[in-house]
Amino acid sequence: MSQDKIRPLAVPDVAGAPVPAPHDPEHGLPATFGTGWKGRALFWIAVAFSAFQIVTAFGIPLDFRVIDQVRWLTPITLIRVGFVLWFAWIILSALRGRMMGEAMIAFLALLGAFELVTLYTGTLPNQVLRTVHVGFLCLTACGLLANADETSPPARIFWWAVGIVGFVIGLYHWWNYVELVNRAGDLTLSDMVVGLAALAVLFLLVWRAMGIALPLVAGAFLAYCFFGNYLPAPFDHRGYGLDQVVEQMAFGTEGLYATPTAVSATFIFLFILFGAFMERAGVIDFFNDISMAVFGGKQGGPGKVCVASSALMGTVSGSGVANVVASGQFTIPLMKRSGFTGAFAGGVEATSSMGGQIMPPVMGAVAFIMAETIDVPYSKIVEAAIIPALLYFGACYWAVHLEAGKLGLHGLPKSELPSARAELRKNWYLIAPLLVLVYLLFAGFTPLFAGAIGLALTVALILALAVSAGLATPALRIVFWVGFALISAASMTISMATVLMVVLALVVWNVLRGVSGRDVLRSCIEALADGARQALPVGLACALVGIVIGTMTLTGIGTIFGSWLIGVGKNSMFLALVLTMIFSLILGMGIPTIPNYIITSSLAAPILLQLDVPLIVSHMFVFYFGIMADLTPPVALAAFAAAPMAKVSGMKIGVQAVKIALPGFVVPFMAVYDPNLMLQPVAGLEGSSYWLAVVYIVAKASFAMILWGAAVVGYLSARLATWERVLATVAAALLVAALPVTDEAGFILGALLVAQHVWRARAAKQLPA
């Protein structure tokens, strides 16, 4: 691999990785660490944050004896020796007149993160991991707000103070862990102060960083804890004191540090880092090139490239609005130049990018929270998402194809397209970590282990690429890659520690290579910092939404809501589903997908389960409409993220996105009435009969998508008349209805409509001009 292919690694911004906009498109956090010494300090805090999460996620105890006979020789001792040598180098360099301020900042940040891990022998207690994770989130996010260009000096001091308080709260839990466990339920004055401070810091920070909607929702639930006993039955509860509420929300595992925070501190953080390193290895460019080569020359090629590249990017990042910004800068102008309107181009980008959250194998963060919440293997979540994801992207592709036909658009000239064969031959190894990740997930390994191995292999690949580029002859490169492949494969079969030793050996090799090797290492460090920054909105949302979970477990409000919804569902399952959909869409207009899913699934999913909706299907139903909320006007975050690039109002893009994303609204309903669509077991169906049922529901759903796409766009093989669009809509609705004889009626009506339309279109072409 040539050095220019490692182009994403060469990051010119001294304060972090370059980003396309000064602020995160979905949230209010700045996208750079700032300038000067404050920016460098925050940068190294973010690196220390990522290093802390990696060490704790890998779960390797650092207190074991390297040699059984030598009691003191442990990894902790060796690492501390390394820090001593590093400190000595800093002092000697400073005595020689070199500027070592940043090196000292890095030393202190990483040493602090290391010492956080070493207080407890073995692995860090789960409760400590969650609280320190939230502390790092507060410190890093407040640092970003303080270092923003427009921040005034008083505001800068204020946000740094808030961040430090948030981090100290995490340290309080870390230092007093044993005492807090022993006196659980009996809070001291200092415990009360820390608990109230934790709530105040998170409410304030999330309000500033993510808007008022989520704090309002969480605040309403918190207020219910205090004042719900004054409400009329059945909405009242027995009443709870301040100490009980603080105990529930700020200590233990039912409030701020509930399951969502645990998932954020483990699976989610690792997979965000995995995506950041994969992007720097050149995988995103590789996916774009492959998509351009395969689809660029077809009818409406640029639009199809957008759909394909977004689907491929979703397998790495699983982040919707971020995908809009990352790929939209390339695909939206390309679509507009080819003849698509700005609104349609933005709608295609928004719709296909949001699909990344449901695209296996690396789905959005919600998938990890779902797996942990309902206690099923992550591979089962992936399995359930495969067919709906393919239908979703297939429908996006179909909408682009029809719109291009209606406008008479063609593909790009072959001379402007890359060669798929050449790209695969040159860079196929870039997806090796992704393939390993997929294998591990489906082989029964935990997402945490799979993500750790995938991340380690990605880092090793980046470092190995740099080493290979420095070898003099092709023969040496071949020998190196064969050896690297064998050693990597062997290390994964031995232990996680062996995998890390391979990475460490490559790090040392790059240090010894000189300037070029150190540049690659510097880029990897920047990836660590950027991964921490990307994890902030997710982690903060997971922490604050824990208040909802804490309220439900404390007061039982979920049972009240559930009783009402069950009463509705007993009379009309469809009405219960529609109400759940509306609730999720409205909630999602103000808050991100993750808290939307957690709140709605906590309230509605258990009720759907009691109405005989399968477990995974009920949670997927909620998940899908949380995603659709980001496309639905008037808020439509994904659409407004695409607006600056499309140079069209976000509202117009949102309208187009809803039309294109119609399958995202329909498929969940179809899956409820026929779980085969999500590959869920169905009573009475086994073996070949089950798979025939799967084929049937997929064929029915696909035909419905074809008809609906034609009705929305107004084109099939020629422009559709108004009555044809109406009949196509009716036929598609009949296929979705899941009532007696509606399938037969839908297939017959749809087939007749398509047949007559094709006949009419051919007859029109044969008429003399």
Side-chain angles (χ1 to χ4, degrees):
M1 180 176 180
S2 60
Q3 282 292 80
D4 63 328
K5 191 59 185 177
I6 314 179
R7 169 172 45 87
L9 297 176
V11 182
D13 181 4
V14 296
V19 288
H23 286 77
D24 186 295
E26 187 176 0
H27 311 290
L29 288 174
T32 58
F33 293 104
T35 57
W37 69 268
K38 297 185 297 296
R40 299 312 296 165
L42 183 59
F43 172 86
W44 283 106
I45 289 173
V47 172
F49 184 14
S50 290
F52 171 82
Q53 294 295 158
I54 290 172
V55 172
T56 54
F58 274 70
I60 301 173
L62 300 177
D63 58 346
F64 66 88
R65 298 180 188 178
V66 177
I67 301 174
D68 288 338
Q69 292 75 18
V70 185
R71 179 177 300 180
W72 58 267
L73 190 58
T74 65
I76 291 177
T77 305
L78 294 175
I79 294 172
R80 282 177 174 158
V81 169
F83 274 110
V84 169
L85 294 175
W86 186 8
F87 183 72
W89 173 77
I90 292 173
I91 296 300
L92 289 174
S93 299
L95 292 175
R96 293 173 182 172
R98 294 177 59 186
M99 298 294 292
M100 301 303 293
E102 183 172 348
M104 181 56 72
I105 292 172
F107 172 82
L108 294 174
L110 294 174
L111 177 62
F114 170 71
E115 293 300 331
L116 287 177
V117 179
T118 59
L119 178 65
Y120 299 97
T121 57
T123 57
L124 208 63
N126 192 275
Q127 180 72 8
V128 174
L129 174 60
R130 301 182 192 192
T131 54
V132 175
H133 174 73
V134 174
F136 265 120
L137 289 171
C138 293
L139 181 60
T140 311
C142 287
L144 285 172
L145 294 173
N147 288 359
D149 291 340
E150 68 273 14
T151 306
S152 63
R156 186 173 295 123
I157 294 171
F158 171 77
W159 283 116
W160 272 116
V162 171
I164 291 170
V165 169
F167 188 68
V168 169
I169 291 169
L171 295 183
Y172 182 86
H173 285 265
W174 170 75
W175 187 257
N176 297 290
Y177 169 69
V178 176
E179 292 181 30
L180 288 171
V181 170
N182 290 335
R183 64 170 183 259
D186 183 21
L187 300 186
T188 64
L189 178 60
S190 61
D191 293 340
M192 286 291 295
V193 171
V194 167
L196 290 171
L199 291 168
V201 166
L202 275 169
F203 268 102
L204 179 64
L205 179 54
V206 174
W207 184 355
R208 173 60 181 84
M210 304 175 67
I212 189 61
L214 182 54
L216 281 178
V217 172
F221 277 85
L222 190 61
Y224 180 74
C225 293
F226 290 114
F227 307 113
N229 55 311
Y230 298 110
L231 296 177
F235 302 104
D236 60 335
H237 55 68
R238 65 181 179 84
Y240 301 95
L242 178 63
D243 58 335
Q244 291 174 292
V245 175
V246 171
E247 166 79 15
Q248 178 81 355
M249 300 302 173
F251 297 88
T253 57
E254 294 294 341
L256 301 178
Y257 311 115
T259 298
T261 299
V263 177
S264 171
T266 51
F267 311 147
I268 294 175
F269 201 101
L270 270 189
F271 278 83
I272 288 175
L273 278 178
F274 173 76
F277 275 96
M278 286 286 279
E279 181 176 355
R280 286 170 182 272
V283 173
I284 303 304
D285 290 338
F286 174 68
F287 284 161
N288 283 335
D289 290 341
I290 292 295
S291 300
M292 182 67 78
V294 175
F295 299 104
K298 300 184 182 300
Q299 177 178 304
K304 293 175 180 177
V305 168
C306 173
V307 174
S309 62
S310 294
L312 290 172
M313 285 177 65
T315 65
V316 175
S317 69
S319 175
V321 177
N323 281 355
V324 173
V325 178
S327 62
Q329 297 180 91
F330 163 72
T331 57
I332 291 177
L334 190 63
M335 283 187 278
K336 291 180 67 177
R337 286 198 301 271
S338 70
F340 290 108
T341 64
F344 186 82
V348 171
E349 178 58 54
T351 306
S352 55
S353 291
M354 289 308 301
Q357 294 186 70
I358 61 171
M359 188 64 185
V362 183
M363 300 163 63
V366 170
F368 296 104
I369 297 174
M370 187 189 304
E372 192 74 7
T373 301
I374 63 179
D375 194 25
V376 300
Y378 178 75
S379 59
K380 293 296 182 183
I381 305 294
V382 170
E383 185 179 290
I386 289 175
I387 294 176
L390 293 176
L391 287 172
Y392 182 93
F393 280 102
C396 293
Y397 185 94
W398 178 240
V400 170
H401 180 81
L402 294 178
E403 184 72 14
K406 185 171 75 172
L407 298 176
L409 306 181
H410 302 287
L412 297 171
K414 192 173 182 179
S415 59
E416 297 181 12
L417 302 177
S419 168
R421 182 176 299 176
E423 284 295 323
L424 286 171
R425 186 170 59 248
K426 184 171 61 173
N427 297 315
W428 62 269
Y429 49 80
L430 291 176
I431 60 172
L434 182 61
L435 298 177
V436 171
L437 176 66
V438 172
Y439 167 76
L440 292 175
L441 286 173
F442 282 89
F445 293 94
T446 66
L448 188 59
F449 177 82
I453 289 292
L455 175 61
L457 189 56
T458 305
V459 176
L461 179 64
I462 292 173
L463 298 173
L465 288 170
V467 171
S468 175
L471 298 177
T473 63
L476 282 176
R477 294 192 191 102
I478 293 173
V479 172
F480 170 80
W481 281 114
V482 171
F484 172 74
L486 292 174
I487 293 172
S488 298
S491 67
M492 285 188 289
T493 63
I494 299 172
S495 69
M496 189 71 75
T498 312
V499 175
L500 292 180
M501 291 299 294
V502 173
V503 175
L504 182 60
L506 288 168
V507 169
V508 173
W509 194 336
N510 274 281
V511 169
L512 298 176
R513 282 184 59 234
V515 176
S516 59
R518 288 193 289 272
D519 285 344
V520 173
L521 291 175
R522 189 176 299 112
S523 297
C524 289
I525 292 171
E526 287 164 349
L528 291 173
D530 197 47
R533 184 187 58 78
Q534 293 178 35
L536 295 178
V538 176
L540 291 171
C542 285
L544 191 62
V545 82
I547 290 176
V548 176
I549 297 174
T551 301
M552 293 182 64
T553 55
L554 183 66
T555 66
I557 181 62
T559 305
I560 298 172
F561 178 81
S563 299
W564 172 75
L565 195 58
I566 286 177
V568 173
K570 284 181 178 178
N571 299 319
S572 173
M573 166 74 83
F574 180 74
L575 181 58
L577 294 173
V578 170
L579 289 173
T580 304
M581 176 191 73
I582 293 172
F583 179 75
S584 185
L585 288 175
I586 293 175
L587 196 63
M589 289 180 186
I591 64 177
T593 308
I594 292 171
N596 184 3
Y597 162 75
I598 294 171
I599 295 170
T600 312
S601 65
S602 300
L603 292 170
I607 313 311
L608 296 179
L609 185 62
Q610 293 185 43
L611 295 174
D612 296 326
V613 179
L615 178 64
I616 291 181
V617 175
S618 63
H619 281 259
M620 280 288 190
F621 186 89
V622 173
F623 176 27
Y624 273 66
F625 288 111
I627 293 173
M628 292 301 105
D630 279 342
L631 299 174
T632 308
V635 178
L637 289 173
F640 280 92
M645 293 166 280
K647 294 181 172 57
V648 180
S649 77
M651 193 65 67
K652 291 182 179 179
I653 293 175
V655 171
Q656 290 292 334
V658 169
K659 293 179 180 178
I660 298 167
L662 194 59
F665 292 88
V666 173
V667 166
F669 283 90
M670 298 184 73
V672 167
Y673 290 104
D674 194 339
N676 290 307
L677 191 62
M678 289 187 179
L679 298 179
Q680 299 303 295
V682 176
L685 289 178
E686 295 180 358
S688 59
S689 60
Y690 172 79
W691 289 108
L692 284 174
V694 171
V695 171
Y696 173 77
I697 185 63
V698 171
K700 185 176 79 165
S702 300
F703 192 38
M705 298 306 103
I706 289 171
L707 293 172
W708 238 311
V712 168
V713 177
Y715 184 89
L716 194 54
S717 58
R719 288 183 178 269
L720 291 174
T722 301
W723 64 270
E724 289 178 311
R725 298 178 73 170
V726 172
L727 285 182
T729 302
V730 172
L734 288 171
L735 289 170
V736 175
L739 296 172
V741 308
T742 54
D743 283 5
E744 293 82 353
F747 274 117
I748 292 171
L749 181 60
L752 290 175
L753 173 66
V754 172
Q756 74 80 29
H757 173 79
V758 171
W759 176 81
R760 184 174 66 84
R762 288 181 177 175
K765 289 180 180 178
Q766 293 174 359
L767 293 175

